[in-house]
Amino acid sequence: MREHAPPVTRAWVLHPDIKSDPERRDAQMALEEAVSLAHALPGLEVVGAQIVPLPRPHPGALFGSGKIEELRAKLEAEEIDLVLVDGPVTPVQQRNLERDWKVKLLDRTGLILEIFSDRAATREGVLQVEMAHLSYQRTRLVRAWTHLERQRGGLGFVGGPGETQIEADRRAIDEQLVRLRRQLDKVVKTRELHRKARAKVPYPIVALVGYTNAGKSTLFNRLTGADVMAKDMLFATLDPTMRAVRLPTGADVILSDTVGFISDLPTELVAAFRATLEEVLAADVVVHVRDISHPETEEQAEDVRGILDSLGVGEETAQIELWNKLDQLGPEELETVRIRAARNPDVFVVSALTGEGLDGFLEAVTEALGAERVEEDLVLGFSEGKRRAWLFEKGLVEDERQEEDGFHLRVLWSARDKARFQTLD
């Protein structure tokens, strides 16, 4: 029996360039990123993309009536099925635009949620994405876009016509969210057990972080010999991947590849994916991988630093910047980048694809992990069993004796170990 090719959805990408927004990004760069996001979702054919200048957004339909009619004619002529708006669209605006254009519409948050729904691989990732999706859709409750639902196995869109049906849908969503939270609690407890088991292994954690598509997975694969999905595509990696690996310098570490960051990440996903970024909080060294060839590399780096700050990654955690993709720079650009990097001892210019420059970076990681350790004497009360256990789990205790006032320990630790110990309850 002949198999039919899956239907392709013809999509058009719009970036509203809102002139009244003082923090708006470069419109052309933003449009290119939005098109890359669209390419990351299977089953879409991006037919066209354009910037739409806007003095300010119109509350009822985002665009003015003249622009809506102009775009309607274009979408009809191109036989577009889906419009992707690179920015927030309110439920009222979405409903009015879908009615006027007779197409399905997704805003930036909706598109990213669809990509995450398609990519999540672990049980925890699937549950977190589904909760984020339901929280987002609860405010919208528009009719299902069945094509993408079928293709991805169905997170999709919920809802129905009429106020009574909407209220019923909201109740159903709330009940489903309660069920998902219970399931997620069980999964998180299991992950906590795994983390505690890892803590007993005296290997430090090196976490790779960075803007999506910066080359983290390519670097991870080169260093570990693993086969993590590494493509020139936004959000190629979603769930955190960890491997024990011996670096060429002889240091044994656990290397962690994390979800890529992105500007204007939907608030639903910031909360949902905080747990997957907890590995960064436990890291001994955070490696910030940057695509130094990207025109907006500085803006991307600021987005990453902002997220790291919000996660609570403190100054006691060693951080190294890896300026990746030097193989995509011309001779003059490369020379400029090398001069800039030479001014900061924690910056390294590399190509994860070819391996160029990685030796110096790996030596720096090894040096950061082997920070100077000093001996100190501690006295812990009998009620401080948890803190004492942590010291033993980390292999920091050189000697111990029990006295009337508690445990007397001699520890050999780094400043980072000491700072982490002092944060324990």
Side-chain angles (χ1 to χ4, degrees), residues 138-139 160 165 233 261 266 272 276 282 306 325 334:
R138 188 185 185 282
T139 63
Q165 184 61 50
M233 179 187 292
F261 301 167
T276 65
K325 302 193 181 181
L334 181 57

Side-chain angles (χ1 to χ4, degrees), residues 113 116-117 120 122-135 155 177 180 184 187-188 191 238-240 268-278:
L113 283 167
F116 276 38
S117 301
T122 66
R123 178 64 177 155
E124 182 181 9
V126 170
L127 288 171
Q128 287 171 333
V129 172
E130 193 168 351
M131 285 177 65
H133 219 297
L134 287 170
S135 298
L155 280 176
L177 281 169
L180 288 171
L184 186 58
V187 175
V188 168
R191 189 165 54 83
L238 267 191
D239 294 286
E268 295 89 350
L269 283 176
V270 171
F273 273 79
R274 194 180 184 91
T276 65
L277 292 170
E278 282 177 4

